[in-house]
Amino acid sequence: MLSYALIQLFKITYMNVLLLGSGGREHAIAWKLAQSSLLTQLFIAPGNAGTAQVGTNIAIAATDFEAVKQTILTENITLVIVGPEDPLVKGVHDFILADDELQMLGVKVLGPQKYAATLEGSKEFAKQFMLRNGVPTAAHFTATAENLEESFAFLATQQPPYVLKADGLAAGKGVLIIPDLATAKTELQSMLQGKFGDASRKVVIEECLHGIEMSVFVLTDGKDYVILPEAKDYKRIGEGDTGLNTGGMGAVSPVPFADEALKQRIEQEIVKPTIAGLRNEKIPYCGFVFIGLMVNNGVPKVIEYNVRMGDPETEVVIPRIESDLLQLCWAAATGNLAGQTIAISPQTATTVMLVSGGYPEAYENGKTIHINGTTAPSMVFHAGTKQIGDEICTAGGRVMAITSLAGTKNDALALSYKAIQHIEFDAMYYRRDIGFDL
Ligand code: AMP
Ligand code: GLY
């Protein structure tokens, strides 16, 4: 026991960390990890121009597992933290577990194995998990080409609008909400015929939930958990929540309507049965669980699980965490979360995403980003950016998230919008109404 403790101590005194991913989420996580006294060196693969300011970028794809292995060996990595879902669903954790050389070195991974990542990779799998474990969620029926008549019959029992979800990952585009039954039937057929490729060969038809959405984030080692700050994000491109869905245009934390009573209910009715379900079903899980909720009259129901943090939610969640994030991540990755607590700032964090004109449809990359004067005290988390020579250029639809902390939501928003006045790039767009409904 003592020697085990000594090994743990040794490891957490000399920790090189590899963070996989390249978005605003990863910059926010990297920024926080860089403040840890347990950190020796931080590497980000592939990272962006922002992560390069707090660590060392490695130019490999997060899904190139052989290259990840080489980086682990070359840079003496002890802990791999996985940002996005893609490497998890493709099995990066399983790959590292199956590699004798990496296991001899005791390399740990924060992020679930492939089977558990199916909670995000298959809507049907997630629904069955919720049903088995008594987690409240919308009624559903799973449609395939073989049960079309029954699927139409289930649709007919539902009230409009009709919710159709591609079972598999469809780059955030696989959910359709359709006002009338006839169109819902036609869309269902076109999904089953491959509208979203193989992802929609199965379609989950769901009861439409009403209320307000919010997201809860949990860090777990599969047995114990800590609950991170909750957040609300703004998915639509246009002000007043109009227009196309995006990855997220801004976020706020805490969520003002999430009072103590609601948070208690969420923990008792959703977080506990979810973690107990993982444990009882012997699904190994260490990492973040992102639970998307619909709250109606104080009653929370799960819309979806993601097996990672949200983006841009992370850009408001992380700045409110006062505890050492690396210590918590290490505890989760080594199965030692029991007894760990998390200190959270009472301040409100807001973030506003600056995007490339045209996003979420076609847009141009390579625009020079000018920052004139100071954006302090706001934090600028890079998402789609790239250092080219002396310049930082746009390299994605979502470019930067401007986060501020203040005593109230309005003060935080005022700081973010003031900082944005100092940032400029060709065709820059952002929503001026983040938090408008709270
Ligand atoms: P998902 O990819 O499952 O998060 O769904 C994307 C968005 O569709 C959610 O953020 C909700 O706004 C909406 N949505 C998903 N499922 C439902 C549902 N059962 N009822 C109402 N809205 C839903
Ligand atoms: N902001 C939503 C997501 O990360 O999926």
Side-chain angles (χ1 to χ4, degrees):
M1 203 56 209
L2 181 65
S3 62
Y4 179 74
L6 280 174
I7 290 167
Q8 297 302 314
L9 188 66
F10 175 75
K11 279 198 180 141
I12 65 174
T13 323
Y14 300 94
M15 190 154 21
N16 286 353
V17 175
L18 174 62
L19 172 64
L20 300 182
S22 62
R25 165 183 49 215
E26 285 73 28
H27 188 190
I29 292 173
W31 168 83
K32 183 72 178 165
L33 293 174
Q35 296 166 34
S36 172
S37 56
L38 305 175
L39 183 76
T40 308
Q41 269 188 290
L42 175 62
F43 298 89
I44 309 96
N48 59 36
T51 60
Q53 295 167 3
V54 289
T56 305
N57 285 351
I58 307 275
I60 59 167
T63 47
D64 181 347
F65 298 165
E66 280 300 334
V68 168
K69 175 177 172 178
Q70 284 316 313
T71 305
I72 293 171
L73 295 175
T74 313
E75 308 298 351
N76 286 316
I77 302 295
T78 309
L79 175 64
V80 179
I81 299 178
V82 187
E85 66 277 18
D86 217 24
L88 295 168
V89 172
K90 292 195 167 110
V92 68
H93 193 152
D94 311 61
F95 173 88
I96 291 172
L97 279 178
D99 188 289
D100 291 341
E101 202 177 351
L102 297 179
Q103 288 312 297
M104 288 267 290
L105 294 168
V107 177
K108 299 290 181 200
V109 182
L110 186 74
Q113 294 166 46
K114 188 172 181 165
Y115 180 67
T118 316
L119 282 173
E120 175 161 357
S122 162
K123 305 268 186 201
E124 161 68 1
F125 180 89
K127 289 301 251 189
Q128 295 299 348
F129 175 86
M130 287 186 252
L131 279 179
R132 285 194 303 273
N133 293 288
V135 178
T137 186
H140 87 287
F141 184 85
T142 302
T144 62
E146 283 72 49
N147 66 10
L148 204 57
E149 285 313 313
E150 286 165 85
S151 303
F152 283 172
F154 178 79
L155 265 178
T157 65
Q158 297 300 303
Q159 299 296 316
Y162 301 91
V163 181
L164 304 180
K165 299 185 172 181
D167 177 60
L169 291 181
K173 299 197 173 98
V175 176
L176 300 182
I177 299 189
I178 300 164
D180 68 282
L181 186 58
T183 317
K185 286 182 174 176
T186 319
E187 280 295 346
L188 174 61
Q189 277 178 300
S190 114
M191 287 174 86
L192 292 173
Q193 284 159 10
K195 176 173 179 147
F196 298 105
D198 283 343
S200 67
R201 301 277 176 203
K202 258 192 212 173
V203 173
V204 175
I205 308 171
E206 276 190 22
E207 164 199 8
C208 184
L209 298 176
H210 299 279
I212 315 188
E213 286 182 59
M214 62 176 277
S215 301
V216 165
F217 303 92
V218 181
L219 177 65
T220 183
D221 59 7
K223 310 183 298 282
D224 295 283
Y225 62 85
V226 291
I227 300 182
L228 278 43
E230 79 282 2
K232 180 172 185 348
D233 81 332
Y234 292 81
K235 289 199 174 72
R236 303 294 197 92
I237 188 73
E239 287 168 13
D241 286 339
T242 54
L244 293 174
N245 258 326
T246 72
M249 296 295 293
V252 176
S253 174
V255 177
F257 66 82
D259 57 16
E260 254 335 287
L262 176 60
K263 287 204 248 186
Q264 283 295 328
R265 265 192 97 145
I266 292 170
E267 179 164 9
Q268 294 305 324
E269 296 174 18
I270 290 166
V271 176
K272 282 196 172 152
T274 297
I275 305 302
L278 293 170
R279 198 176 47 225
N280 295 338
E281 296 190 13
K282 300 195 170 34
I283 302 177
Y285 197 113
C286 73
F288 298 102
V289 193
F290 163 164
I291 310 178
L293 299 173
M294 184 75 85
V295 181
N296 194 345
N297 284 324
V299 180
K301 287 191 178 175
V302 175
I303 294 182
E304 63 166 349
Y305 289 119
N306 294 307
V307 297
R308 52 168 174 92
M309 290 296 292
D311 194 349
E313 292 91 333
T314 304
E315 291 93 302
V316 290
V317 168
I318 293 284
R320 292 189 60 221
I321 298 177
E322 290 172 342
S323 310
D324 185 324
L325 183 66
L326 183 49
Q327 183 185 329
L328 288 169
C329 290
W330 179 250
T334 54
N336 291 305
L337 255 193
Q340 294 278 340
T341 55
I342 181 165
I344 293 171
S345 161
Q347 288 200 299
T348 292
T350 59
T351 200
V352 178
M353 191 62 84
L354 308 181
V355 307
S356 300
Y359 173 81
E361 297 184 283
Y363 57 85
E364 285 176 22
N365 282 330
K367 311 285 185 194
T368 305
I369 302 168
H370 301 279
I371 301 189
N372 313 304
T374 178
T375 49
S378 297
M379 292 158 263
V380 176
F381 293 123
H382 292 219
T385 71
K386 193 172 179 183
Q387 184 91 34
I388 300 179
D390 289 343
E391 294 188 333
I392 293 177
C393 297
T394 65
R398 293 192 294 169
V399 176
M400 307 179 138
I402 314 305
T403 298
S404 309
L405 273 173
T408 67
K409 178 198 71 170
N410 286 346
D411 287 350
L413 283 167
L415 286 173
S416 287
Y417 286 117
K418 189 165 162 227
I420 289 170
Q421 300 312 309
H422 297 277
I423 306 175
E424 214 186 316
F425 57 86
D426 199 24
M428 177 174 110
Y429 169 78
Y430 58 95
R431 274 180 62 169
R432 288 157 206 269
D433 69 341
I434 297 307
F436 76 101
D437 56 340
L438 293 175

Short mmCIF file of all heavy atoms in Angstrom, two decimals, residues 175-217:
data_model
loop_
_atom_site.label_atom_id
_atom_site.label_comp_id
_atom_site.label_asym_id
_atom_site.label_seq_id
_atom_site.Cartn_x
_atom_site.Cartn_y
_atom_site.Cartn_z
N VAL A 175 -29.76 15.58 -35.96
CA VAL A 175 -31.05 15.70 -35.28
C VAL A 175 -31.97 16.60 -36.10
O VAL A 175 -31.62 17.73 -36.41
CB VAL A 175 -30.89 16.27 -33.86
CG1 VAL A 175 -32.25 16.48 -33.19
CG2 VAL A 175 -30.02 15.36 -33.01
N LEU A 176 -33.15 16.08 -36.45
CA LEU A 176 -34.12 16.88 -37.19
C LEU A 176 -35.36 17.07 -36.32
O LEU A 176 -35.84 16.11 -35.70
CB LEU A 176 -34.52 16.19 -38.49
CG LEU A 176 -33.41 15.91 -39.51
CD1 LEU A 176 -33.98 15.27 -40.77
CD2 LEU A 176 -32.66 17.19 -39.88
N ILE A 177 -35.86 18.30 -36.28
CA ILE A 177 -37.10 18.58 -35.54
C ILE A 177 -38.09 19.11 -36.57
O ILE A 177 -37.86 20.15 -37.18
CB ILE A 177 -36.82 19.55 -34.39
CG1 ILE A 177 -35.79 18.87 -33.46
CG2 ILE A 177 -38.11 19.91 -33.64
CD1 ILE A 177 -35.50 19.51 -32.17
N ILE A 178 -39.15 18.34 -36.80
CA ILE A 178 -40.00 18.55 -37.97
C ILE A 178 -41.44 18.87 -37.54
O ILE A 178 -42.01 18.15 -36.72
CB ILE A 178 -39.96 17.27 -38.84
CG1 ILE A 178 -38.51 17.02 -39.26
CG2 ILE A 178 -40.88 17.38 -40.04
CD1 ILE A 178 -38.26 15.66 -39.78
N PRO A 179 -42.01 19.94 -38.10
CA PRO A 179 -43.32 20.38 -37.61
C PRO A 179 -44.51 19.48 -37.98
O PRO A 179 -45.48 19.45 -37.24
CB PRO A 179 -43.50 21.78 -38.23
CG PRO A 179 -42.46 21.90 -39.29
CD PRO A 179 -41.40 20.90 -39.03
N ASP A 180 -44.45 18.78 -39.11
CA ASP A 180 -45.65 18.01 -39.47
C ASP A 180 -45.35 16.54 -39.77
O ASP A 180 -44.24 16.17 -40.15
CB ASP A 180 -46.34 18.67 -40.68
CG ASP A 180 -45.49 18.53 -41.92
OD1 ASP A 180 -44.51 19.29 -42.04
OD2 ASP A 180 -45.76 17.62 -42.73
N LEU A 181 -46.38 15.73 -39.60
CA LEU A 181 -46.23 14.27 -39.66
C LEU A 181 -45.81 13.79 -41.05
O LEU A 181 -44.94 12.92 -41.17
CB LEU A 181 -47.56 13.62 -39.24
CG LEU A 181 -47.55 12.10 -39.10
CD1 LEU A 181 -46.51 11.64 -38.10
CD2 LEU A 181 -48.93 11.60 -38.68
N ALA A 182 -46.41 14.37 -42.09
CA ALA A 182 -46.10 13.89 -43.44
C ALA A 182 -44.61 14.08 -43.74
O ALA A 182 -43.94 13.15 -44.22
CB ALA A 182 -46.95 14.65 -44.46
N THR A 183 -44.08 15.28 -43.42
CA THR A 183 -42.65 15.53 -43.66
C THR A 183 -41.80 14.62 -42.78
O THR A 183 -40.75 14.12 -43.21
CB THR A 183 -42.30 17.01 -43.39
OG1 THR A 183 -43.31 17.82 -43.94
CG2 THR A 183 -40.96 17.40 -43.96
N ALA A 184 -42.24 14.40 -41.55
CA ALA A 184 -41.48 13.55 -40.65
C ALA A 184 -41.34 12.15 -41.25
O ALA A 184 -40.25 11.54 -41.19
CB ALA A 184 -42.15 13.48 -39.27
N LYS A 185 -42.41 11.64 -41.85
CA LYS A 185 -42.36 10.30 -42.45
C LYS A 185 -41.40 10.27 -43.64
O LYS A 185 -40.58 9.36 -43.77
CB LYS A 185 -43.76 9.89 -42.92
CG LYS A 185 -44.69 9.51 -41.77
CD LYS A 185 -46.02 9.06 -42.33
CE LYS A 185 -46.94 8.54 -41.25
NZ LYS A 185 -48.27 8.20 -41.78
N THR A 186 -41.47 11.32 -44.47
CA THR A 186 -40.58 11.37 -45.64
C THR A 186 -39.13 11.46 -45.19
O THR A 186 -38.24 10.77 -45.71
CB THR A 186 -40.90 12.62 -46.50
OG1 THR A 186 -42.31 12.77 -46.54
CG2 THR A 186 -40.34 12.52 -47.88
N GLU A 187 -38.86 12.34 -44.19
CA GLU A 187 -37.49 12.51 -43.69
C GLU A 187 -36.98 11.22 -43.06
O GLU A 187 -35.81 10.88 -43.20
CB GLU A 187 -37.43 13.65 -42.67
CG GLU A 187 -37.37 15.03 -43.29
CD GLU A 187 -36.10 15.29 -44.10
OE1 GLU A 187 -35.13 14.52 -43.99
OE2 GLU A 187 -36.09 16.27 -44.86
N LEU A 188 -37.86 10.53 -42.35
CA LEU A 188 -37.46 9.28 -41.71
C LEU A 188 -36.97 8.31 -42.78
O LEU A 188 -35.90 7.70 -42.64
CB LEU A 188 -38.63 8.68 -40.91
CG LEU A 188 -38.36 7.31 -40.31
CD1 LEU A 188 -37.20 7.36 -39.32
CD2 LEU A 188 -39.60 6.78 -39.59
N GLN A 189 -37.72 8.21 -43.85
CA GLN A 189 -37.33 7.29 -44.93
C GLN A 189 -36.00 7.71 -45.54
O GLN A 189 -35.13 6.87 -45.77
CB GLN A 189 -38.41 7.24 -46.01
CG GLN A 189 -39.52 6.27 -45.62
CD GLN A 189 -40.63 6.24 -46.64
OE1 GLN A 189 -41.26 7.26 -46.89
NE2 GLN A 189 -40.87 5.08 -47.23
N SER A 190 -35.84 9.03 -45.74
CA SER A 190 -34.60 9.47 -46.38
C SER A 190 -33.40 9.27 -45.44
O SER A 190 -32.29 8.94 -45.89
CB SER A 190 -34.77 10.89 -46.91
OG SER A 190 -33.95 11.78 -46.24
N MET A 191 -33.62 9.42 -44.13
CA MET A 191 -32.53 9.13 -43.19
C MET A 191 -32.15 7.65 -43.25
O MET A 191 -30.98 7.28 -43.31
CB MET A 191 -32.93 9.52 -41.75
CG MET A 191 -32.96 11.04 -41.52
SD MET A 191 -33.60 11.48 -39.89
CE MET A 191 -32.11 11.40 -38.89
N LEU A 192 -33.18 6.80 -43.22
CA LEU A 192 -32.91 5.35 -43.22
C LEU A 192 -32.22 4.93 -44.52
O LEU A 192 -31.46 3.96 -44.53
CB LEU A 192 -34.21 4.57 -43.04
CG LEU A 192 -34.87 4.72 -41.66
CD1 LEU A 192 -36.24 4.06 -41.63
CD2 LEU A 192 -33.98 4.14 -40.56
N GLN A 193 -32.47 5.69 -45.59
CA GLN A 193 -31.81 5.38 -46.86
C GLN A 193 -30.40 5.98 -46.93
O GLN A 193 -29.74 5.89 -47.97
CB GLN A 193 -32.66 5.89 -48.03
CG GLN A 193 -33.86 4.98 -48.30
CD GLN A 193 -34.97 5.68 -49.07
OE1 GLN A 193 -34.78 6.78 -49.57
NE2 GLN A 193 -36.13 5.04 -49.14
N GLY A 194 -29.96 6.64 -45.86
CA GLY A 194 -28.55 7.06 -45.83
C GLY A 194 -28.32 8.56 -45.97
O GLY A 194 -27.24 8.99 -46.35
N LYS A 195 -29.35 9.38 -45.62
CA LYS A 195 -29.17 10.83 -45.67
C LYS A 195 -27.92 11.28 -44.90
O LYS A 195 -27.23 12.21 -45.29
CB LYS A 195 -30.42 11.51 -45.10
CG LYS A 195 -30.33 13.01 -45.01
CD LYS A 195 -31.65 13.64 -44.60
CE LYS A 195 -31.49 15.13 -44.51
NZ LYS A 195 -32.70 15.86 -44.89
N PHE A 196 -27.65 10.64 -43.77
CA PHE A 196 -26.43 10.95 -42.99
C PHE A 196 -25.47 9.76 -43.05
O PHE A 196 -24.79 9.45 -42.07
CB PHE A 196 -26.79 11.30 -41.55
CG PHE A 196 -27.67 12.51 -41.43
CD1 PHE A 196 -29.02 12.37 -41.12
CD2 PHE A 196 -27.16 13.79 -41.62
CE1 PHE A 196 -29.84 13.50 -41.01
CE2 PHE A 196 -27.97 14.90 -41.53
CZ PHE A 196 -29.31 14.76 -41.22
N GLY A 197 -25.44 9.10 -44.21
CA GLY A 197 -24.56 7.94 -44.37
C GLY A 197 -24.98 6.82 -43.43
O GLY A 197 -26.16 6.71 -43.08
N ASP A 198 -24.00 6.03 -43.00
CA ASP A 198 -24.33 4.90 -42.14
C ASP A 198 -24.89 5.34 -40.79
O ASP A 198 -25.59 4.59 -40.13
CB ASP A 198 -23.08 4.03 -41.92
CG ASP A 198 -22.81 3.17 -43.14
OD1 ASP A 198 -23.74 3.00 -43.96
OD2 ASP A 198 -21.67 2.67 -43.27
N ALA A 199 -24.57 6.59 -40.39
CA ALA A 199 -25.03 7.10 -39.09
C ALA A 199 -26.55 7.06 -38.97
O ALA A 199 -27.09 6.95 -37.87
CB ALA A 199 -24.52 8.52 -38.87
N SER A 200 -27.27 7.17 -40.10
CA SER A 200 -28.74 7.19 -40.01
C SER A 200 -29.41 5.95 -40.59
O SER A 200 -30.59 5.97 -40.91
CB SER A 200 -29.30 8.47 -40.65
OG SER A 200 -29.08 8.48 -42.04
N ARG A 201 -28.66 4.85 -40.67
CA ARG A 201 -29.30 3.57 -41.05
C ARG A 201 -30.24 3.11 -39.93
O ARG A 201 -31.13 2.29 -40.14
CB ARG A 201 -28.27 2.48 -41.31
CG ARG A 201 -27.31 2.84 -42.43
CD ARG A 201 -27.88 2.55 -43.81
NE ARG A 201 -26.93 3.03 -44.81
CZ ARG A 201 -27.25 3.34 -46.07
NH1 ARG A 201 -28.51 3.25 -46.48
NH2 ARG A 201 -26.34 3.75 -46.89
N LYS A 202 -29.99 3.61 -38.74
CA LYS A 202 -30.93 3.48 -37.62
C LYS A 202 -31.30 4.89 -37.22
O LYS A 202 -30.42 5.76 -37.18
CB LYS A 202 -30.22 2.86 -36.41
CG LYS A 202 -30.47 1.41 -36.16
CD LYS A 202 -29.92 1.09 -34.77
CE LYS A 202 -29.40 -0.32 -34.69
NZ LYS A 202 -28.73 -0.53 -33.38
N VAL A 203 -32.58 5.11 -36.87
CA VAL A 203 -33.01 6.44 -36.46
C VAL A 203 -33.79 6.33 -35.15
O VAL A 203 -34.69 5.49 -35.03
CB VAL A 203 -33.91 7.08 -37.54
CG1 VAL A 203 -34.50 8.41 -37.06
CG2 VAL A 203 -33.11 7.31 -38.83
N VAL A 204 -33.42 7.13 -34.18
CA VAL A 204 -34.17 7.15 -32.93
C VAL A 204 -35.24 8.23 -33.04
O VAL A 204 -34.93 9.41 -33.24
CB VAL A 204 -33.24 7.40 -31.72
CG1 VAL A 204 -34.03 7.54 -30.43
CG2 VAL A 204 -32.22 6.27 -31.60
N ILE A 205 -36.51 7.80 -32.96
CA ILE A 205 -37.63 8.75 -32.96
C ILE A 205 -37.92 9.06 -31.50
O ILE A 205 -38.08 8.14 -30.70
CB ILE A 205 -38.90 8.13 -33.59
CG1 ILE A 205 -38.59 7.53 -34.96
CG2 ILE A 205 -40.02 9.15 -33.66
CD1 ILE A 205 -39.75 6.71 -35.53
N GLU A 206 -37.95 10.35 -31.16
CA GLU A 206 -38.14 10.69 -29.75
C GLU A 206 -39.36 11.55 -29.52
O GLU A 206 -39.71 12.39 -30.36
CB GLU A 206 -36.92 11.48 -29.24
CG GLU A 206 -35.80 10.59 -28.81
CD GLU A 206 -34.71 11.37 -28.09
OE1 GLU A 206 -34.97 12.48 -27.56
OE2 GLU A 206 -33.60 10.86 -28.07
N GLU A 207 -39.94 11.35 -28.35
CA GLU A 207 -40.95 12.28 -27.85
C GLU A 207 -40.30 13.67 -27.79
O GLU A 207 -39.13 13.78 -27.39
CB GLU A 207 -41.34 11.81 -26.44
CG GLU A 207 -42.07 12.80 -25.59
CD GLU A 207 -42.00 12.45 -24.10
OE1 GLU A 207 -41.26 11.52 -23.71
OE2 GLU A 207 -42.70 13.11 -23.33
N CYS A 208 -41.03 14.71 -28.18
CA CYS A 208 -40.44 16.05 -28.11
C CYS A 208 -40.57 16.59 -26.68
O CYS A 208 -41.65 16.65 -26.12
CB CYS A 208 -41.15 16.98 -29.09
SG CYS A 208 -40.36 18.59 -29.10
N LEU A 209 -39.43 16.97 -26.12
CA LEU A 209 -39.43 17.54 -24.77
C LEU A 209 -39.51 19.06 -24.87
O LEU A 209 -38.95 19.66 -25.78
CB LEU A 209 -38.14 17.16 -24.04
CG LEU A 209 -37.90 15.67 -23.80
CD1 LEU A 209 -36.55 15.45 -23.15
CD2 LEU A 209 -39.01 15.08 -22.91
N HIS A 210 -40.18 19.67 -23.91
CA HIS A 210 -40.28 21.14 -23.88
C HIS A 210 -39.63 21.63 -22.60
O HIS A 210 -39.53 20.90 -21.63
CB HIS A 210 -41.75 21.55 -23.95
CG HIS A 210 -42.39 21.09 -25.23
ND1 HIS A 210 -42.26 21.77 -26.42
CD2 HIS A 210 -43.11 19.98 -25.50
CE1 HIS A 210 -42.88 21.11 -27.36
NE2 HIS A 210 -43.42 20.01 -26.84
N GLY A 211 -39.19 22.88 -22.60
CA GLY A 211 -38.57 23.44 -21.41
C GLY A 211 -37.33 24.21 -21.79
O GLY A 211 -37.20 24.70 -22.91
N ILE A 212 -36.38 24.33 -20.84
CA ILE A 212 -35.13 25.05 -21.11
C ILE A 212 -33.98 24.06 -21.00
O ILE A 212 -33.95 23.21 -20.09
CB ILE A 212 -34.89 26.20 -20.10
CG1 ILE A 212 -36.16 27.02 -19.87
CG2 ILE A 212 -33.77 27.11 -20.61
CD1 ILE A 212 -35.91 28.27 -19.05
N GLU A 213 -33.04 24.19 -21.94
CA GLU A 213 -31.89 23.28 -21.94
C GLU A 213 -30.76 23.80 -21.06
O GLU A 213 -30.54 25.01 -20.97
CB GLU A 213 -31.36 23.10 -23.36
CG GLU A 213 -32.24 22.25 -24.22
CD GLU A 213 -31.65 22.05 -25.61
OE1 GLU A 213 -30.53 21.53 -25.72
OE2 GLU A 213 -32.33 22.43 -26.58
N MET A 214 -30.07 22.88 -20.44
CA MET A 214 -28.81 23.21 -19.76
C MET A 214 -27.93 21.97 -19.77
O MET A 214 -28.41 20.88 -20.09
CB MET A 214 -29.06 23.67 -18.32
CG MET A 214 -29.69 22.62 -17.44
SD MET A 214 -29.87 23.16 -15.73
CE MET A 214 -28.23 22.82 -15.08
N SER A 215 -26.68 22.14 -19.45
CA SER A 215 -25.76 21.01 -19.48
C SER A 215 -25.03 20.88 -18.16
O SER A 215 -24.66 21.87 -17.54
CB SER A 215 -24.73 21.20 -20.59
OG SER A 215 -25.39 21.32 -21.83
N VAL A 216 -24.85 19.61 -17.78
CA VAL A 216 -24.16 19.30 -16.53
C VAL A 216 -22.93 18.47 -16.88
O VAL A 216 -22.99 17.65 -17.80
CB VAL A 216 -25.12 18.53 -15.61
CG1 VAL A 216 -24.40 17.87 -14.46
CG2 VAL A 216 -26.19 19.47 -15.08
N PHE A 217 -21.85 18.71 -16.18
CA PHE A 217 -20.59 18.03 -16.48
C PHE A 217 -20.10 17.31 -15.23
O PHE A 217 -20.09 17.88 -14.14
CB PHE A 217 -19.54 19.05 -16.94
CG PHE A 217 -20.02 19.82 -18.14
CD1 PHE A 217 -20.69 21.02 -17.98
CD2 PHE A 217 -19.87 19.30 -19.41
CE1 PHE A 217 -21.18 21.72 -19.07
CE2 PHE A 217 -20.37 19.98 -20.51
CZ PHE A 217 -21.03 21.19 -20.35
#
